[in-house]
Amino acid sequence: MSLTVLVTDYAFPDLDVEERVLGTVGARLLVAATGDEDELIALAPRADAILTNWKPVTARVLDAAARCRTVARYGVGLDNIDVAHATTLGIPVSNVPDFCTDEVADHTLLLLLALARRFVPLTEDLRRGGWDNQAGGMPVRLRGKTLGLVGLGAIAQAVAVRARALGMDVIAYRRSAGDRDGVRVTTSLPELLASADVVSLHVPLDATTRGIIGQAELAAMKDTAYLINTSRGALVDTAALVRALDGGLIAGAAMDVTDPEPLPAAHPLRTHPAAIVTPHSAFYSDGAIAELAGKAARNVAQILRGEIPATIVNPEVLDSPRLRRPGRP
């Protein structure tokens, strides 16, 4: 009997890699048209597995997927999948945590340099016909400045290497103490916010991190400091950020991710003189996309063969009596 893998959405030119990988286990793709919840609920009963990028795989979708044996995320974050409910149902969930480390670290550095060197206002002035090397205000020398990383996972560590090459000092906030590879670690977010010249966010989005940067945290930062977010938009209270930029509480912000996403056409962050926004593109490169598609598809193929991928995010499900095995919903 042929197997069906429901693809809720994807951000690539085609699904050739997935078709090739999943074809080895006799699976065909069923691609959603819109990926909205009602459509996914209608398609879910046909799915032996689900591949998802950004569309929400909710409890209602999972309940409808009676024969689904796994949900695989194209990417690192899991905030669009109800992992707890999947675990209750006996469904392993996997992700691809290591496909775009260099890309996101490079993009973070790009945003940092663009803020410090006033790149956007300088180029905008030139495009308008100007030739003013002070059009963006005084650039900032980064050597000797302090970069504060909120989180110290693989991407944050890669950012730290790049920042130290620029001569920056690097500190990081995380819940467990212990310095790492030249990065001083603090377990106090207020301490990091008060001392950093640049604050860069690198934590997953969950109940404990949603809104981790709000009005109080922005007020605790230096008025000369920058905020960078290449992780998840909802880590930041967007309205509070706009107020902080308007009021000069911080010097600027650069965001590759926003809340909401995409930003409405008239949203003030799109045109704010102290802000840079890119359209959730930090992860994107030719190499990263090929790697992402292949690894996500291989995670699904392994489950359908009765194997266990290395990147299961709910390993406790493997000991559950409700675990869905090949040939059994």
Side-chain angles (χ1 to χ4, degrees):
M1 185 177 81
S2 65
L3 300 168
T4 299
V5 177
L6 172 60
V7 180
T8 68
D9 63 314
Y10 60 98
F12 332 123
D14 55 56
L15 293 167
D16 291 350
V17 172
E18 292 89 331
E19 289 178 343
R20 183 167 60 253
V21 172
L22 292 167
T24 64
V25 294
R28 64 181 183 85
L29 302 184
L30 173 62
V31 184
T34 65
D36 62 32
E37 188 180 45
D38 287 342
E39 182 192 18
L40 295 181
I41 289 171
L43 296 175
R46 300 160 59 185
D48 297 282
I50 296 174
L51 264 171
T52 185
N53 192 6
W54 290 310
K55 295 296 183 179
V57 181
T58 64
R60 294 180 64 214
V61 173
L62 293 168
D63 285 339
R67 70 190 223 195
C68 178
R69 299 206 293 269
T70 190
V71 178
R73 170 88 212 289
Y74 284 118
V76 183
L78 297 157
D79 45 288
N80 67 316
I81 303 171
D82 192 331
V83 177
H85 195 64
T87 303
T88 299
L89 295 174
I91 301 174
V93 178
S94 64
N95 67 345
V96 184
D98 57 354
F99 79 99
C100 63
T101 298
D102 286 327
E103 282 79 6
V104 178
D106 289 347
H107 201 89
T108 302
L109 185 67
L110 166 70
L111 296 177
L112 168 59
L113 289 169
L115 286 169
R117 296 302 307 170
R118 308 292 195 255
F119 181 80
V120 173
L122 285 171
T123 55
E124 287 180 342
D125 175 74
L126 188 138
R127 288 175 182 275
R128 291 191 297 263
W131 191 268
D132 182 1
N133 63 12
Q134 299 179 40
M138 181 65 72
V140 173
R141 175 181 286 180
L142 291 175
R143 180 170 296 278
K145 295 293 192 297
T146 298
L147 171 64
L149 301 169
V150 179
L152 195 55
I155 292 173
Q157 291 175 51
V159 172
V161 171
R162 289 155 171 77
R164 290 173 62 201
L166 296 177
M168 300 186 75
D169 298 320
V170 183
I171 63 173
Y173 161 73
R174 64 176 180 178
R175 295 186 180 91
S176 56
D179 296 353
R180 181 164 184 171
D181 298 331
V183 178
R184 182 170 67 84
V185 172
T186 175
T187 57
S188 168
L189 181 58
E191 177 188 347
L192 179 140
L193 296 173
S195 59
D197 298 293
V198 181
V199 174
S200 188
L201 306 182
H202 301 281
V203 289
L205 177 64
D206 58 29
T208 67
T209 60
R210 184 176 294 274
I212 193 172
I213 302 297
Q215 188 68 31
E217 289 75 22
L218 291 162
M221 292 171 61
K222 299 177 182 180
D223 60 8
T224 55
Y226 300 126
L227 176 69
I228 299 174
N229 188 7
T230 54
S231 184
R232 283 292 184 267
L235 298 176
V236 178
D237 181 332
T238 305
L241 175 60
V242 173
R243 291 194 298 270
L245 294 172
D246 288 343
L249 290 181
I250 62 173
M255 325 296 286
D256 183 58
V257 288
T258 59
D259 183 29
E261 191 172 295
L263 285 175
H267 196 282
L269 274 183
R270 283 182 177 260
T271 56
H272 201 290
I276 299 172
V277 179
T278 54
H280 203 145
S281 57
F283 74 97
Y284 205 64
S285 80
D286 53 356
I289 292 306
E291 184 178 8
L292 173 62
K295 287 185 173 181
R298 282 191 289 275
N299 283 343
V300 172
Q302 284 184 278
I303 289 284
L304 295 179
R305 280 196 297 263
E307 302 167 359
I308 304 300
T311 58
I312 292 288
V313 301
N314 56 342
E316 64 274 20
V317 78
L318 301 177
D319 297 321
S320 169
R322 303 191 69 182
L323 176 65
R324 297 186 181 180
R325 302 180 188 278
R328 189 190 77 184

